[in-house]
Each structure stands twice: as C-alpha cells, then as structure tokens.
C-alpha cells in the first residue's frame, strides 16, 4: 500500500506561509492583490475562480474577480488586461482559461505584464523557466514538484515519465524535473510503447485528462505517482487519470484526487501572488 501524499496538509502549509508573508507586507503598507478575469460562462471556470477568491481571503490577499460576458471582444479583454497591468495596487493578473473561442488565448496571455503573471504563462516567464532563471513558475507543475519533494525521496538520477505535453502542465513539468537532475521522458498521444515506458519510471506524472488512463501494469513497483488529471468518473464522481485503487497497491507514494494536485495548484497561486507583491513593492 502506497503512502498518500497529502495535498490538503501540504497546501495548508504553503498557504500559511503565503498568509504570513502577506501580513508582513501589509505591515509595510503593501496590500497584496490579485485580479482574476473571467470571460464567459464556463461552469468549471466559475468554480475555479470562486476557489481562488476564497484562497485569497484566507491568505489576506485582496482579490477582484472581473466577470465579462461570453460575447466580450478580444480588444475589450486586452484593454482590461492593460488597465490591470497599469494599476499599481494590483500585483497579480490572471486570465482564467479557457477563453471563449473567438478570443486568441495567446494574444491575451502575452498581454499580461510579466511581473504580474502569477500563472507563469507569459513568454518571458516561460523563457526564464527554460533558462533556469528567477521567474513565476506555473502553479500546477510547481505544486507537483513540491509534492514530490515532500516525500523526502532524493529525485536526482531518477527516471520520470510525464504523460501529457500541454504548455501549462506537461511541458513545464518536464523542465522542472530536468532542473532537479531527473531524467525525463515526455509522452503524448503519439508516443509508442507508452505502457512499457511508464512501467519503467521511478516517477510517473499523469496529465492526460482521461479517467482510469493509468492502470496497474503502468506503475513500476515502488514508483511515486502524481495524478494531475481532473475528470468525472462513470459514477459522476471526481477522479484523476490514475486507477487509484490499483496503483495504490504498487506505488510507494501516490497523490489522491480530489485532495491532491488541485489543492497544491491553488496554494502555489497564493505563493506567486505574494511574491509578485513583494517584488513590485521592493522595486518602488
Ligand atoms: P491537455 O488536453 O492540454 O493535454 C492533454 C495531454 O495528454 C496532451 O499532451 C495529449 O497528447 C495527451 N494525451 C491525450 N491522450 C493521450 C494518450 N492516449 N496517450 C498519451 N498521451 C495522451 O490537458 P492539460 O494538460 O490542460 O490537463 C490535463 C489534465 O490535468 C486534465 O484532466 C485537466 O483537467 C487536469 N488539470 C489539473 C490541474 C490541477 O490543478 N490539478 C491543472 C490543470 C489541468 P497530444 O499533445 O499529443 O494531444
């Protein structure tokens, strides 16, 4: 039976640290503040944004949720982002994805000021991450790395397989692991012999978006399994990409869904927002 990596407890620690840093900034007259732009009616996005606002309240971070109708034009959205970039009272700017289909996600993301890009999605932050320079790390892979490190297992020299190569999860995850001296195989829908590759991995990170995708035979005995997926199972319940019960029998450590990576993603956003406030106030 694997040990559970407790996302709830770890996220609580990261949030408590963010709250303490926010309190210290307030003592210096700086109120950390996050602006979240939500365009459209996507119900999952609404839930995520509400969660972010709750986290901010818990951590002593002011949050503004700017809700825009589905038919909002790209120029209008870009103008909103420009106004938030220029507002010195706002330290973090986040545009909730996905955007309505008529809006270019890349144009909007590129418009966010890098120093306020607390999601770590702008080309400047991605470039700095690739170069191993100081930057805002994207919240989900940063959260996964923190979960891996929380096991106390030395990561250097281990073989990892990351399934999924999205810009927000898989690709940055591979980079962060490489920076930890892990040897990474980044897999996707064209990968051949995926099962064999996974079965040889000391660290298996699933970011596919398919319930039950990772089966027991894909888990090396003693592996660490990080489940990024958020899916609805056939029973309607929230589940990850990993067949948890089966993987639990083989892994040494495993993250649950819910109660795993999702909570760490949220905690990392609080960390990044406080960091943005600290850096911007130091630059004054
Ligand atoms: P994307 O849909 O952008 O990427 C999915 C990736 O999985 C793609 O790279 C795709 O390959 C790959 N893939 C699909 N089918 C297969 C297959 N049969 N074999 C191997 N690879 C496959 O998803 P995201 O990265 O945005 O999200 C992944 C999951 O993580 C989702 O469930 C999402 O909800 C969840 N998520 C969870 C977060 C959290 O905080 N817990 C945060 C963000 C996402 P290809 O590139 O070839 O198409």
């Amino acid at each position: 039976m694997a040990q559970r990596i407790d996302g709830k407890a770890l996220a609580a620690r990261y949030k408590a640290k963010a709250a303490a840093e926010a309190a210290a900034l307030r003592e210096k007259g700086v109120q950390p503040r996050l602006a979240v732009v939500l365009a459209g009616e996507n119900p999952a996005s609404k839930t995520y944004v509400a969660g972010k606002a709750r986290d901010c309240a818990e951590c002593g971070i002011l949050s503004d949720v700017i809700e825009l109708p589905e038919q909002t034009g790209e120029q209008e959205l870009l103008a909103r982002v420009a106004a938030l970039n220029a507002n010195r009272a706002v330290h973090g700017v986040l545009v909730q994805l996905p955007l309505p289909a008529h809006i270019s996600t890349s144009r909007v993301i590129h418009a966010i000021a890098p120093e306020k890009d607390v999601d770590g999605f702008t080309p400047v932050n991605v470039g700095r991450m690739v170069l191993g320079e100081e930057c805002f790390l994207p919240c989900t892979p940063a959260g996964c790395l923190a979960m891996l490190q929380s096991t106390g297992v030395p990561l250097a020299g281990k073989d990892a397989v990351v399934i999924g190569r999205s810009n927000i999860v898989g690709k940055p995850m591979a980079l962060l692991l490489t920076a930890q001296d892990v040897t990474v195989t980044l897999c996707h829908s064209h990968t051949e012999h995926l099962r064999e590759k996974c079965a040889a991995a000391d660290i298996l990170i699933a970011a596919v978006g398919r319930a039950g995708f990772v089966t027991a035979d894909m888990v090396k005995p003693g592996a660490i399994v990080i489940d990024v997926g958020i899916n609805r199972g056939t029973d309607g319940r929230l589940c990850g990409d990993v067949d948890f019960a089966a993987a639990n029998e083989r892994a040494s450590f495993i993250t649950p869904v819910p109660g795993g990576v999702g909570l760490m993603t949220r905690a990392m956003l609080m960390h990044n927002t406080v960091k943005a406030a600290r850096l911007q106030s130091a630059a004054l």
Side-chain angles (χ1 to χ4, degrees):
M1 191 83 85
Q3 284 188 58
R4 198 77 60 96
I5 303 176
D6 186 347
K8 202 170 171 187
L10 195 59
R13 287 219 296 278
Y14 273 83
K15 277 165 64 175
K17 192 159 169 275
E21 284 173 14
L25 282 167
R26 275 198 306 279
E27 292 219 336
K28 295 186 195 156
V30 179
Q31 169 59 65
R33 186 164 165 185
L34 172 69
V36 180
V37 181
L38 173 61
E41 301 297 326
N42 185 315
S45 293
K46 285 190 170 185
T47 307
Y48 292 143
V49 168
K52 287 166 188 175
R54 272 201 310 278
D55 291 335
C56 283
E58 258 181 63
C59 294
I61 296 169
L62 258 185
S63 71
D64 309 285
V65 177
I66 297 137
E67 290 194 55
L68 302 172
E70 184 82 26
Q71 64 273 20
T72 301
E74 188 174 305
Q75 289 310 316
E76 160 75 7
L77 185 49
L78 289 170
R80 296 284 187 147
V81 169
L84 293 168
N85 286 344
N87 184 346
R88 293 175 87 159
V90 170
H91 306 103
V93 176
L94 183 159
V95 178
Q96 184 66 42
L97 302 179
L99 287 171
H102 63 279
I103 297 177
S104 156
T105 301
S106 63
R107 272 199 291 274
V108 171
I109 296 299
H110 289 207
I112 298 170
E115 68 274 16
K116 299 192 178 186
D117 170 28
V118 287
D119 256 343
F121 290 170
T122 60
V124 168
N125 277 306
V126 174
R128 287 181 182 152
M129 175 178 58
V130 172
L131 296 171
E133 293 177 4
E134 178 57 35
C135 64
F136 292 108
L137 293 177
C139 299
T140 301
C144 292
L145 181 59
M147 293 181 108
L148 282 171
Q149 289 170 328
S150 77
T151 64
V153 174
L155 302 181
K158 296 282 191 295
D159 289 323
V161 163
V162 178
I163 324 174
R165 57 173 166 180
S166 71
N167 289 336
I168 61 170
V169 188
K171 271 188 221 165
M173 189 73 248
L175 278 167
L176 296 187
L177 289 169
T178 305
Q180 296 295 317
D181 300 325
V182 173
T183 304
V184 184
T185 305
L186 182 55
C187 299
H188 45 75
S189 65
H190 300 273
T191 299
E192 293 184 350
H193 311 299
L194 179 71
R195 288 183 176 276
E196 291 79 357
K197 287 182 169 72
C198 292
D202 304 309
I203 297 165
L204 181 59
I205 301 193
V208 181
R210 285 207 210 169
F213 186 84
V214 174
T215 48
D217 58 310
M218 295 164 75
V219 178
K220 178 179 174 178
I224 306 177
V225 178
I226 307 283
D227 192 352
V228 183
I230 301 178
N231 311 296
R232 291 270 165 209
T234 43
D235 57 1
R237 285 163 68 173
L238 210 60
C239 64
D241 290 342
V242 176
D243 178 345
F244 184 87
N248 195 30
E249 296 297 322
R250 291 168 72 94
S252 58
F253 291 91
I254 191 165
T255 64
V257 178
V261 175
L263 296 175
M264 281 305 289
T265 298
R266 288 167 54 173
M268 287 302 172
L269 178 64
M270 299 300 103
H271 167 84
N272 279 354
T273 303
V274 172
K275 176 173 164 175
R278 188 176 63 239
L279 292 175
Q280 282 160 55
S281 60
L284 288 179

